[in-house]
Amino acid sequence: MTLEAFLVVAAALFCVGLYGALSQQSIVMLMMGLELMINGILVAAGGFWYAVRPVVDGQVLVLVAITVMALEMAMGFAVVTALFRARDVDMTDDAGDLKG
């Protein structure tokens, strides 16, 4: 796969994520949009790393970053689930008063 193909896929992921993050008001959909944007950045970073220095250590770092992101999203979904159960809120406008 060429660097251009990686960058096209990364740009497509980022654009879809940006559209999702800006157009949705549901907290879950907003988090999914942010996740797609970060995945686009990671695909671009992995593609650049492979093009510049085609050894495995760069791809391992990208895999570690994806694993950390999966854990972060699981924690975010847990917070959203707890918020929904406690206050029956799933939209960003309704969840604005999360202060102490």
Side-chain angles (χ1 to χ4, degrees):
M1 221 171 162
T2 63
L3 177 62
E4 290 83 15
F6 278 113
L7 293 179
V8 167
V9 171
L13 280 174
F14 189 84
C15 289
V16 169
L18 182 64
Y19 175 74
L22 293 178
S23 66
Q24 300 293 322
Q25 290 188 344
S26 171
I27 296 172
V28 174
M29 295 302 288
L30 178 68
M31 290 173 60
M32 289 176 67
L34 292 174
E35 185 78 17
L36 278 176
M37 288 175 23
I38 294 172
N39 279 332
I41 293 169
L42 285 176
V43 166
F48 274 122
W49 209 312
Y50 181 75
V52 172
R53 189 173 171 215
V55 292
V56 180
D57 56 350
Q59 286 87 22
V60 171
L61 182 63
V62 169
L63 282 176
V64 169
I66 289 174
T67 303
V68 169
M69 283 181 16
L71 290 172
E72 170 195 328
M73 290 305 288
M75 290 175 33
F77 283 124
V79 168
V80 169
T81 301
L83 180 66
F84 182 75
R85 286 183 180 169
R87 300 163 81 196
D88 201 22
V89 171
D90 64 344
M91 296 294 179
T92 55
D93 293 338
D94 298 334
D97 56 344
L98 292 176
K99 297 178 238 172

